[in-house]
Amino acid sequence: MVKYQGNMMSLRKFVAGNWKMNGTGENLAEVRAIAEGAAGYSSVDCALCLPATLIERAVRAAPGFAIGGQDMHQAASGAHTGSISASMLVDCGATLTIVGHSERREEQHESDAQIRAKAETAIAAGLQVIVCVGESDSVRGAGQAVATVAAQLDSSLPQSEGAAAQLAVAYEPIWAIGTGKVPSIGDIGEMHAALRQRLIRAYGEAGRSVRILYGGSVKAANAAEIFAVPDVDGALVGGASLKAVEFVPIVVAANPADG
Ligand code: PEP
C-alpha cells in the first residue's frame, strides 16, 4: 500500500481568529488594525470570529474583511432565549461561523449531532462554517486521539448537498487550547492526514478542497513550522488573535514565499 503523502492539492491557507468572550467597542481599533495588516497578504484568507455584540460594528469598521460568529443555534428561529440564529449572523454582515468549539462542547454539553445540525443550518443560510474537533489529554494519553477525533468528525460533518464547498474543519486538541502546549509536528501531521481521509470518504473528491485548520496555542513563533505540515491548511487562533501585533505575523507565516 502506498503511504499517504498529504493532499496533492495545495489549498489557499485560511487563518481565523476566535476572540471568545473578549472585546467591546474599544477593541474595534484592533479589528481595523488586523484587517489592514492582513490586507497586505492577499493570498491568505483571514477572518475574525467575534462576540455577537461586536459583529455589526466590526463589519462597518473593517469593510471587506471577513467577520464571523463563534456559534449559532441550529433552529431557524423560536423560543431559544439568548441564542443567535444563522439569519441573525447574516443580517449583521457575518460571512462565517465556528460551530462545535470544545468550550461549547464542554460547557454547553453540545453533541456531535447538534453540531452537525448547526453546520447544516449555517450552510443553508449561506455562511462558511468551521467545524471544530479535538481530543482531551486523557484520550491522547490512552493512544486514542486519532480514532476519537476521526469518529467525532464523522458524526459532526454536515451532510447537506454541496456542504464541502462552505466548510473548514479545525483540529483543536483540548489540552493545547490556551495552554502553550502544542502537539508534535508528527502528531499534527498524523491527525490531519487521518481527517483528510475522512473528508474524502464523506465528500469524495470535494473532500480534498476542505481546509483543515490546526488550533491550539498557535503563535507567531510556531506558525510557520505548523503551516509546513502536509494537510495543515491554516489555523484557528484564540489568544494570539486579540492583538494585531500577534495575529498579523501568523497571517504572514501562512503567506506562501512567492505570494
Ligand atoms: C481556540 O480556542 O480556538 C484556540 C485555538 O485558542 P488558543 O489559540 O488561545 O490556544
Side-chain angles (χ1 to χ4, degrees):
M1 200 172 94
V2 180
K3 194 171 176 295
Y4 178 67
Q5 300 286 340
N7 206 358
M8 300 306 282
M9 262 184 193
S10 171
L11 303 179
R12 196 181 151 84
K13 293 261 193 293
F14 177 27
V15 179
N18 172 16
W19 276 23
K20 310 191 184 191
M21 199 170 71
N22 297 292
T24 57
E26 66 186 14
N27 303 104
L28 288 168
E30 210 62 52
V31 173
R32 221 176 289 117
I34 286 170
E36 285 167 8
Y41 302 93
S42 55
S43 50
V44 179
D45 290 329
C46 187
L48 283 178
C49 295
L50 298 178
T53 49
L54 272 184
I55 292 174
E56 189 160 11
R57 282 179 286 168
V59 168
R60 272 199 239 111
F65 184 76
I67 300 291
Q70 300 171 7
D71 179 51
M72 44 156 276
H73 200 279
Q74 62 271 26
S77 63
H80 304 289
T81 303
S83 293
I84 305 266
S85 72
S87 63
M88 290 171 186
L89 288 176
V90 171
D91 187 45
C92 289
T95 55
L96 73 153
T97 189
I98 298 170
V99 297
H101 191 281
S102 60
E103 286 153 16
R104 292 205 61 89
R105 287 179 183 263
E106 287 189 338
E107 292 176 15
Q108 314 301 327
H109 311 292
E110 292 187 1
S111 66
D112 291 344
Q114 197 176 351
I115 288 151
R116 164 175 285 161
K118 288 181 186 219
E120 290 174 351
T121 304
I123 285 168
L127 294 165
Q128 300 286 322
V129 63
I130 302 173
V131 173
C132 301
V133 290
E135 83 284 1
S136 65
D137 207 7
S138 60
V139 165
R140 177 149 296 269
Q144 292 300 312
V146 171
T148 302
V149 175
Q152 200 181 30
L153 185 76
D154 288 347
S155 16
S156 304
L157 284 177
Q159 295 176 311
S160 17
E161 181 74 32
Q166 283 166 247
L167 176 69
V169 167
Y171 165 55
E172 299 206 301
I174 298 166
W175 52 272
I177 294 178
T179 59
K181 295 183 196 163
V182 177
S184 70
I185 290 301
D187 284 347
I188 295 176
E190 180 190 31
M191 184 66 79
H192 280 238
L195 298 182
R196 175 68 62 208
Q197 302 292 17
R198 306 305 265 227
L199 287 166
I200 293 168
R201 203 172 76 173
Y203 301 121
E205 282 304 297
R208 294 188 194 279
S209 307
V210 174
R211 288 178 291 192
I212 309 175
L213 317 182
Y214 168 77
S217 296
V218 175
K219 311 272 179 242
N222 59 19
E225 192 187 10
I226 293 170
F227 290 147
V229 177
D231 285 303
V232 173
D233 308 308
L236 182 56
V237 183
S241 71
L242 294 170
K243 297 270 177 232
V245 288
E246 291 184 39
F247 191 55
V248 174
I250 297 172
V251 178
V252 176
N255 193 54
D258 60 359

